[in-house]
Amino acid sequence: KVEQIIFKHTQKVLGGDLNVVFYDMTQLYFEASDEDDLRKTGFSKDGKHQKPQIFLGLLVAKQGYVIGYDVYDGNTYEGHTLIPFLENISRKFNLEKPIIIADSGLLSKKNIGALEERGYEYILGARIKNETAEVKNQIIESFYADGDLIDITKDDTKRIIVSYSHKRARKDAYNRIRGLKRLEKKIKSGKLTKESINNRGYNKFLKLEGKIDVQVDYTKIEQDQYWDGLKGYITNTKLSGSEIIQNYGELWHIERAFRMYKTDLRIRPIYHRLRRRIEAHICISFAAYSIYKELERALNTQESLLSVKKAAELTHNMYQTTYQLPDGKSMNKQLLGMDDQQKELYGIVRNCFRVSH
């Protein structure tokens, strides 16, 4: 029921425009150490490998307004959730087939095939370094100025869009240099051994010689520089390259939503054990985020200088007293004194509530 109310509100706020949606997943770990049918240990991006976890899938519309969510057990592979999630959301809300936007974590032949088979259009983050030699040569041999993009036809249904940004190139170069310095420091200290190496992050720049000789492969570093500033997208839509990049650029709203869940809305720590309580906990956070977005919209509509965070802080000492006069038969309510910012916030929320109803 909560999901239905929020979905209808999102429809109303966006004027029914749900043609483009954004999907992502995050992990939520538990403080308890025991597993069950929902809470499972698995690979943890937070480094909490010993703690049971669950996955939270979230679908949002433009500007970060929530459509729906789902909960998965902790050892689920996130790439296997996209199609079941979309089918479940479609059943819940009778949602027409929108354009699906997601990052490269959902990029797999199986997912792409399933999306196309079910008639979905999509824009996904592309792993351009994993493309064929022909496509890679076409990308790195192109001349790039800031903001340039190229549009490559991959096959009958798919295109690869690649954009170049000076700002992204500087960031890529900076991160690589910083990662290289850490590698060199570890090798020099003798703390980096063959047994401790994986292929994640900047370990890709290492090579092993003999049984224990670990060295930096500077040839790989030189080759990696060719990709500085490049960002790829794969799509089966008819949208222009600039429209694809613009739409994909709104994916940050869902990343912001997850940050909000984990910080301001305090979805963690989670101590619950029973599935129904875990799901209730997630539902409360889901509703809280929707209220947060509505407050944000109200402040923007009124062109207030108050941030949502500041507005939340102001409510911490806004009080109302309830009293009954000696000869009275009913209870009376009286707001206590507020400063100017609290009065402004109260007026905005009151006006927003009145308009909404």
Side-chain angles (χ1 to χ4, degrees):
K1 190 173 181 179
V2 169
E3 285 184 279
Q4 291 290 342
I5 291 169
I6 292 172
F7 174 74
K8 288 176 182 176
H9 181 73
T10 293
Q11 272 188 316
K12 180 181 177 182
V13 169
L14 296 179
D17 182 12
L18 299 178
N19 297 323
V20 177
V21 298
F22 306 84
Y23 177 70
D24 203 358
M25 291 193 75
T26 193
Q27 297 164 320
L28 299 172
Y29 62 85
F30 291 76
E31 299 303 320
S33 58
D34 54 320
E35 294 183 281
D36 51 39
D37 61 335
L38 178 62
R39 301 175 304 152
K40 303 281 188 182
T41 55
F43 173 72
S44 171
K45 295 177 183 177
D46 297 319
K48 308 290 184 179
H49 303 290
Q50 303 305 315
K51 292 190 175 183
Q53 62 184 17
I54 58 172
F55 278 97
L56 175 64
L58 186 65
L59 194 71
V60 304
K62 289 182 177 180
Q63 302 175 48
Y65 288 101
V66 175
I67 294 176
Y69 70 96
D70 218 336
V71 178
Y72 301 89
D73 64 63
N75 60 2
T76 300
Y77 170 55
E78 62 180 339
H80 294 163
T81 64
L82 178 60
I83 301 304
F85 183 94
L86 291 175
E87 291 179 341
N88 188 30
I89 290 292
S90 295
R91 283 193 298 270
K92 282 182 182 178
F93 308 120
N94 195 27
L95 189 65
E96 296 294 329
K97 286 183 166 57
I99 296 175
I100 309 299
I101 300 181
D103 68 18
S104 58
L106 279 299
L107 180 63
S108 70
K109 288 183 179 180
K110 186 175 180 180
N111 273 340
I112 289 176
L115 286 170
E116 292 177 347
E117 182 182 333
R118 289 163 175 78
Y120 283 101
E121 291 187 311
Y122 56 82
I123 301 171
L124 304 176
R127 296 172 179 149
I128 53 178
K129 294 181 185 179
N130 295 341
E131 285 296 330
T132 63
E134 181 182 355
V135 171
K136 288 194 289 186
N137 288 335
Q138 189 174 349
I139 293 171
I140 62 178
E141 288 175 2
S142 300
F143 175 78
Y144 290 102
D146 192 36
D148 275 359
L149 63 86
I150 59 173
D151 193 327
I152 301 170
T153 300
K154 186 174 174 67
D155 55 38
D156 292 338
T157 61
K158 292 183 280 295
R159 297 149 56 209
I160 295 176
I161 313 298
V162 183
S163 67
Y164 174 78
S165 160
H166 280 330
K167 182 178 179 181
R168 191 187 300 123
R170 289 194 298 269
K171 182 180 178 182
D172 291 342
Y174 172 78
N175 288 339
R176 183 176 51 255
I177 292 169
R178 188 176 62 172
L180 175 60
K181 286 180 179 178
R182 287 201 301 266
L183 283 179
E184 291 174 332
K185 185 177 179 180
K186 285 183 179 180
I187 291 173
K188 189 175 181 180
S189 67
K191 293 181 179 179
L192 191 62
T193 64
K194 180 178 178 179
E195 289 72 22
S196 65
I197 291 176
N198 55 50
N199 198 35
R200 294 194 298 272
Y202 293 98
N203 285 344
K204 63 188 176 185
F205 296 139
L206 297 176
K207 65 178 180 180
L208 305 181
E209 292 189 351
K211 293 184 178 180
I212 58 171
D213 188 15
V214 180
Q215 295 184 14
V216 175
D217 189 339
Y218 291 96
T219 303
K220 288 184 178 179
I221 294 173
E222 185 178 348
Q223 293 171 348
D224 195 66
Q225 294 174 7
Y226 292 125
W227 302 95
D228 286 355
L230 299 179
K231 172 69 177 174
Y233 316 84
I234 187 166
T235 184
N236 65 341
T237 69
K238 302 300 183 184
L239 299 175
S240 68
S242 58
E243 287 174 322
I244 288 166
I245 293 169
Q246 182 181 358
N247 277 291
Y248 190 90
E250 288 209 34
L251 197 60
W252 70 270
H253 283 294
I254 199 166
E255 295 165 354
R256 177 178 179 239
F258 282 138
R259 286 197 299 273
M260 286 297 305
Y261 272 121
K262 293 178 179 180
T263 55
D264 299 58
L265 303 182
R266 300 176 187 173
I267 199 170
R268 296 185 314 204
I270 308 175
Y271 296 96
H272 303 297
R273 180 176 55 83
L274 300 178
R275 175 184 280 267
R276 63 185 178 84
R277 291 185 178 178
I278 293 169
E279 291 177 346
H281 181 95
I282 302 298
C283 182
I284 290 169
S285 296
F286 177 70
Y289 174 75
S290 300
I291 293 169
Y292 176 98
K293 286 296 298 180
E294 180 61 13
L295 176 57
E296 182 180 64
R297 186 176 74 90
L299 293 171
N300 290 336
T301 300
Q302 298 298 317
E303 298 182 348
S304 173
L305 297 178
L306 294 174
S307 66
V308 183
K309 186 174 182 179
K310 179 61 179 178
E313 291 173 356
L314 290 173
T315 64
H316 292 171
N317 57 354
M318 293 173 67
Y319 302 104
Q320 176 178 272
T321 185
T322 303
Y323 64 92
Q324 183 176 7
L325 296 174
D327 298 330
K329 295 183 179 180
S330 61
M331 301 297 291
N332 300 288
K333 295 179 179 179
Q334 176 66 48
L335 286 169
L336 301 187
M338 296 183 286
D339 62 28
D340 290 341
Q341 285 187 322
Q342 289 173 326
K343 289 177 182 177
E344 178 191 355
L345 175 61
Y346 179 75
I348 289 172
V349 174
R350 188 178 180 184
N351 181 61
C352 175
F353 184 83
R354 187 186 298 120
V355 170
S356 298
H357 287 72

